[in-house]
Amino acid sequence: MKRVMLVGAGTGGSALFDVFIETEQFRVCGIVDKNEQAPGILKAKKMNIPVFSSWKEAYERLSPLDVVIEVTGDTSLLNELRNFLINDPATVIPSSVASVMFYLMEEKELLLDEVKEHNTIMDVILDSTHDGMIAIDLERRITLINRSAEKMSGLKRKDVLGKRIEEFMPTSKLPRVLKTGKTETNRRQVIGENRQIITTRVPMFQGNRLIGALGVFKDVTEIFHMAEEVTNLKSIRQMLEAIINSSDDAISVVDEEGKGLLINPAYTRLTGLEKEEVIGKPAYTDISEGESMHMRVLKTGNAVRGAKMKVGPNRKDVAVNVAPVIVDGKIKGSVGVIHDMSEIETLTDELEKAKQIIRTLEAKYTFDDIIGNSEELQVAIQQAKVAAATPATILLQGESGTGKELFAHAIHNASSRKFNKFIRVNCAAISETLLESELFGYEEGAFSGAKKGGKKGLFEEADRGSIFLDEIGEITPQIQAKLLRVLQEQEIVRVGGTKPVAIDVRVIAATNVNMEKRLESGEFRADLFYRLNRMPIYIPPLRTRAEDIPQLCDHLLLKLNQEYGRNVKGADKEAIRMLQDYHWPGNVRELENIIGRAMIHMHYLEQFITGAHLPQLNSSKTKGDGEWTGENAAGRMRQEGETLQKVLEETERQTILEALLEHNGNKTKTAQALGLSLRSLYYKIEKLSIDIGN
């Protein structure tokens, strides 16, 4: 470091003093000026640098010196200094040279300030960009790292500048660029903790000379995540569209303004409308009759189910379910699912057919199958429901055709035994000799022809279930005695056997005869009757509940339509009036017969039964049970003035019609049943003008 003495502390000396103070190559040892208030003197005093009023004194005190600078501009003073120091190694610099030095230093400072300012601006620019930048020199030392690069890499500028890049970024490919001198663009790279970047690396040249490499990179981690989310959303949308398009239900989607957004192929098949006729069009475009449920849902925000309307140019009858699409608490649209009503009706018909098939199994019916709202019938139903919940024996009483077996089925299905067997026995249809063995079974060798090993009886088959004994009033005293034992002891003894067999059977009996008269005549055991009559239920005849006839007609038509393959929808008011005026000695069974007969007379295109389709019915309701009514075998009254021949022809006609009905219009089977040749049957059909509806 050079030792300097300044002679002169005015403006120029003060400026030089400032310059030398900032340098590391020169040290001001003292400053000389006669004016104690000179700027340079004041500065020196503050910095504890020696000040002098005489240069000779200063020299003596500060010697040895390397440089003495005269800054006063006094030529005589300069000469004195030169002559005094002629043999001294110290260099004397005149004020003119010092002035030049001052100006050069000042210029340098200005340039340095400009460079500093320029560098500051460049730093601001580099730190403001979102792209990361890292530069290295030929020695692979880091010369530049901006703020974005710090953030992405997790490095700090103060820690890495001047250090080799592989120490901090071992995956960096900038050293490769130094070797190849080639630019690498849009290369994918992972830095830091799984941060993904896209980088461009370029070599840096000064003229033709390679001086380093620069990497500019962008953080694309979020972009890749967003791309993955977009891909996932696209996949989800494609999946949803595939699901919607594969649905057999017609689906339409609208936006919050009610404009069509999406329909599926099933929608086009149902309505007959293509995409271009619906997409972007108002929601009511497809409606030919009714209100737009889409618009209602968008307005109210409430879902709609089962709305009926007509859609498309073919005015298709449909049922619509529509629900709002809500995103972040706001309605963004609605989705509608449209069901073809004709398809629903077909499915309903198929369901009814399935029910009919199921009903061919054991216990066919439930209380829902007992049709009628009359007070008498409802009392019987309530009694039956109460009885079903108990294990008590039940006696069903009522005229023939009132539905006693129907009640028996319903009682079993409403009881705790419904999952076990329901055995039906018509006591009047089995001969006395067979009835005992059928009911109670028999042991091997009990009689000639007995099955080897014996056979279970119907009571044993019905164990833990129910047995329905129809026409119970017709059984013989012998069977009555054995039946009494079953009810009292809950056990049976097989025919030819001696060992009792315990059983758990609920007995449901039915009769259409006057049991009190049977008791009086001794034809039926009183003790058995009292056992059977523990829970008596009386089923009213049809003539006492004529208000049920319209409902019964609808129910029977549904059944007969399936059997005959017809589509009769109902009976008109005149036909209903005629049916209600009749006294129905055969009850519901006769009503079914009459309706079936009317259907045979109808043309296959006719859909409603009229009075003309019905046979002539006696309108009197006053006839009692067992009272002769003057009816012929066909169930009609002889009219005044009607000849015997006419009555016989009408009877023959009705008999043939009933036989045809019984055999579903099959003429071969009808002829066999009537004991006629097929040719004779055709002759009588033509002669008697019998219309069989085909």
Side-chain angles (χ1 to χ4, degrees):
M1 181 179 292
K2 303 296 184 180
R3 291 170 60 82
V4 178
M5 182 181 73
L6 293 175
V7 180
T11 303
S14 177
L16 280 175
F17 178 79
D18 291 338
V19 171
F20 283 121
I21 289 299
E22 296 296 329
T23 66
E24 294 181 357
Q25 302 298 321
F26 297 91
R27 183 167 72 87
V28 178
C29 298
I31 186 168
V32 181
D33 200 293
K34 293 179 179 180
N35 183 4
E36 292 183 358
Q37 299 301 316
I41 295 295
L42 296 176
K43 289 180 182 179
K45 286 180 178 181
K46 288 181 179 180
M47 299 178 67
N48 294 322
I49 294 175
V51 297
F52 303 92
S53 59
S54 167
W55 61 267
K56 287 183 180 181
E57 179 186 359
Y59 177 78
E60 290 175 357
R61 294 276 301 273
L62 300 175
S63 184
L65 295 170
D66 296 306
V67 179
V68 177
I69 302 175
E70 186 274 316
V71 200
T72 64
D74 186 345
T75 304
S76 61
L77 178 59
L78 176 61
N79 289 333
E80 286 182 18
L81 287 170
R82 282 177 175 173
N83 291 331
F84 182 79
L85 299 173
I86 191 169
N87 295 319
D88 197 289
T91 301
V92 179
I93 297 175
S95 58
S96 57
V97 175
S99 177
V100 171
M101 288 175 60
F102 170 75
Y103 286 124
L104 288 174
M105 289 181 180
E106 191 176 50
E107 185 68 22
K108 178 183 177 182
E109 290 296 328
L110 290 173
L111 290 172
L112 289 173
D113 288 343
E114 289 180 5
V115 170
K116 186 176 180 181
E117 182 180 358
H118 176 72
N119 288 341
T120 301
I121 293 172
M122 287 300 295
D123 288 343
V124 171
I125 292 172
L126 293 176
D127 286 339
S128 298
T129 180
H130 290 290
D131 291 343
M133 294 184 183
I134 295 179
I136 60 173
D137 60 15
L138 292 176
E139 300 299 323
R140 302 194 302 278
R141 289 190 297 265
I142 297 174
T143 59
L144 169 68
I145 178 169
N146 69 348
R147 188 171 298 162
S148 294
E150 286 182 307
K151 183 179 179 181
M152 292 183 212
S153 65
L155 302 176
K156 297 296 182 183
R157 187 178 308 175
K158 61 184 179 60
D159 297 331
V160 301
L161 282 178
K163 307 289 179 62
R164 289 183 180 274
I165 193 168
E166 55 265 30
E167 294 180 26
F168 303 97
M169 300 181 70
T171 61
S172 175
K173 301 299 184 292
L174 281 177
R176 184 174 65 193
V177 175
L178 291 177
K179 292 180 180 179
T180 64
K182 295 181 179 179
T183 299
E184 299 177 355
T185 59
N186 298 328
R187 301 298 176 90
R188 185 174 174 178
Q189 185 179 340
V190 177
I191 63 172
E193 297 181 359
N194 298 321
R195 189 183 293 274
Q196 300 185 65
I197 62 171
I198 295 294
T199 180
T200 296
R201 309 180 190 100
V202 296
M204 296 188 298
F205 291 93
Q206 193 173 52
N208 294 325
R209 183 169 64 89
L210 180 67
I211 62 171
L214 172 68
V216 180
F217 49 92
K218 183 184 295 293
D219 186 352
V220 293
T221 306
E222 292 184 5
I223 294 175
F224 276 118
H225 289 165
M226 290 174 63
E228 290 175 358
E229 289 178 4
V230 169
T231 302
N232 290 338
L233 287 173
K234 186 176 180 181
S235 299
I236 292 171
R237 178 175 177 177
Q238 290 175 343
M239 186 184 299
L240 288 174
E241 287 182 352
I243 292 171
I244 291 172
N245 289 336
S246 65
S247 173
D248 288 332
D249 288 327
I251 298 173
S252 70
V253 184
V254 302
D255 60 19
E256 62 267 33
E257 296 179 355
K259 300 284 184 67
L261 281 180
L262 175 69
I263 61 172
N264 65 345
Y267 175 93
T268 299
R269 290 195 299 270
L270 178 61
T271 65
L273 298 172
E274 300 293 338
K275 284 186 176 181
E276 55 271 18
E277 299 177 84
V278 178
I279 303 302
K281 304 295 176 59
Y284 50 78
T285 301
D286 57 351
I287 300 174
S288 52
E289 183 178 317
E291 176 192 357
S292 170
M293 293 299 106
H294 277 306
M295 299 307 296
R296 179 190 290 185
V297 168
L298 291 175
K299 183 177 180 180
T300 65
N302 297 323
V304 174
R305 296 188 62 82
K308 304 274 180 59
M309 62 179 64
K310 296 181 184 292
V311 297
N314 296 326
R315 298 174 61 82
K316 199 82 169 181
D317 287 308
V318 298
V320 181
N321 297 334
V322 183
V325 177
I326 300 176
V327 180
D328 295 331
K330 295 183 179 179
I331 297 178
K332 293 296 183 180
S334 65
V335 178
V337 180
I338 307 170
H339 300 285
D340 188 347
M341 289 299 293
S342 61
E343 183 177 346
I344 293 173
E345 290 171 359
T346 301
L347 291 173
T348 302
D349 291 342
E350 291 179 358
L351 178 61
E352 289 300 325
K353 290 178 182 177
K355 286 182 179 179
Q356 293 295 331
I357 293 171
I358 292 171
R359 284 171 177 172
T360 62
L361 308 174
E362 296 190 346
K364 305 176 186 178
Y365 309 106
T366 67
F367 284 112
D368 291 335
D369 296 304
I370 301 175
I371 307 302
N373 294 317
S374 62
E375 184 178 354
E376 298 92 335
L377 183 65
Q378 288 301 313
V379 168
I381 291 173
Q382 291 305 315
Q383 289 178 335
K385 287 182 177 180
V386 171
T390 71
T393 301
I394 297 170
L395 179 62
L396 302 171
Q397 293 180 284
E399 297 177 11
S400 179
T402 52
K404 295 184 292 298
E405 184 171 346
L406 186 66
F407 268 80
H409 283 255
I411 289 169
H412 174 78
N413 279 328
S415 72
S416 59
R417 300 171 182 263
K418 63 182 177 181
F419 297 113
N420 298 306
K421 286 189 177 182
F422 177 73
I423 304 295
R424 292 166 285 171
V425 185
N426 188 328
C427 298
I430 304 175
S431 66
E432 178 186 347
T433 55
L434 289 177
L435 182 60
E436 184 178 3
S437 61
E438 286 294 315
L439 287 175
F440 306 110
Y442 56 82
E443 296 289 354
E444 182 178 351
F447 49 83
S448 58
K451 189 176 180 181
K452 187 177 181 180
K455 178 187 175 184
K456 282 184 177 182
L458 295 176
F459 272 105
E460 287 183 77
E461 291 289 345
D463 189 36
R464 302 181 68 185
S466 303
I467 189 167
F468 174 52
L469 302 177
D470 197 9
E471 304 293 352
I472 191 71
E474 305 299 329
I475 62 175
T476 63
Q478 182 182 353
I479 304 296
Q480 292 177 30
K482 297 197 73 169
L483 180 57
L484 179 61
R485 178 182 179 86
V486 172
L487 296 178
Q488 285 180 337
E489 308 297 335
Q490 284 289 297
E491 62 183 25
I492 58 99
V493 177
R494 292 183 181 180
V495 176
T498 58
K499 182 180 179 181
V501 178
I503 56 171
D504 176 17
V505 177
R506 142 71 81 66
V507 175
I508 305 172
T511 183
N512 62 355
V513 299
N514 189 323
M515 295 297 290
E516 284 75 10
K517 290 183 179 180
R518 290 290 176 100
L519 291 174
E520 290 176 5
S521 65
E523 296 178 71
F524 202 88
R525 295 177 61 127
D527 49 1
L528 176 60
F529 174 73
Y530 297 134
R531 284 282 181 181
L532 292 172
N533 203 39
R534 182 168 295 173
M535 192 69 188
I537 298 173
Y538 175 72
I539 303 172
L542 183 58
R543 62 179 171 274
T544 66
R545 55 187 189 100
E547 65 266 34
D548 292 337
I549 287 178
Q551 196 175 354
L552 281 167
C553 286
D554 291 339
H555 177 74
L556 292 172
L557 281 172
L558 180 64
K559 173 186 174 183
L560 294 171
N561 277 332
Q562 292 172 354
E563 291 181 2
Y564 296 167
R566 301 293 293 271
N567 188 30
V568 179
K569 293 185 176 180
D572 66 10
K573 292 182 178 180
E574 180 190 3
I576 294 295
R577 181 189 58 76
M578 292 175 64
L579 293 173
Q580 288 179 321
D581 286 344
Y582 185 50
H583 68 282
W584 299 110
N587 293 293
V588 179
R589 187 181 291 123
E590 184 182 5
L591 175 63
E592 181 177 356
N593 181 285
I594 294 296
I595 293 174
R597 190 186 307 172
M599 289 178 66
I600 291 177
H601 284 286
M602 293 174 66
H603 190 274
Y604 70 93
L605 291 179
E606 292 181 296
Q607 293 186 332
F608 288 91
I609 296 174
T610 66
H613 297 126
L614 297 174
Q616 188 172 1
L617 299 173
N618 173 28
S619 62
S620 172
K621 296 184 180 181
T622 61
K623 307 301 180 187
D625 295 341
E627 181 182 348
W628 182 73
T629 61
E631 292 178 331
N632 59 35
R636 70 183 279 276
M637 292 286 295
R638 174 185 172 276
Q639 304 298 311
E640 185 178 350
E642 198 172 34
T643 65
L644 177 61
Q645 181 63 32
K646 180 66 175 177
V647 171
L648 291 174
E649 286 181 356
E650 186 60 22
T651 301
E652 187 176 23
R653 182 175 184 275
Q654 295 296 338
T655 302
I656 293 173
L657 275 172
E658 289 177 7
L660 284 167
L661 176 62
E662 184 177 347
H663 294 93
N664 296 325
N666 187 309
K667 298 180 183 65
T668 301
K669 290 183 178 180
T670 301
Q672 291 173 352
L674 295 174
L676 299 173
S677 67
L678 187 61
R679 191 170 194 176
S680 296
L681 178 63
Y682 274 98
Y683 169 78
K684 289 180 179 294
I685 288 173
E686 183 177 356
K687 175 188 174 184
L688 299 171
S689 301
I690 297 174
D691 181 8
I692 57 176
N694 53 26

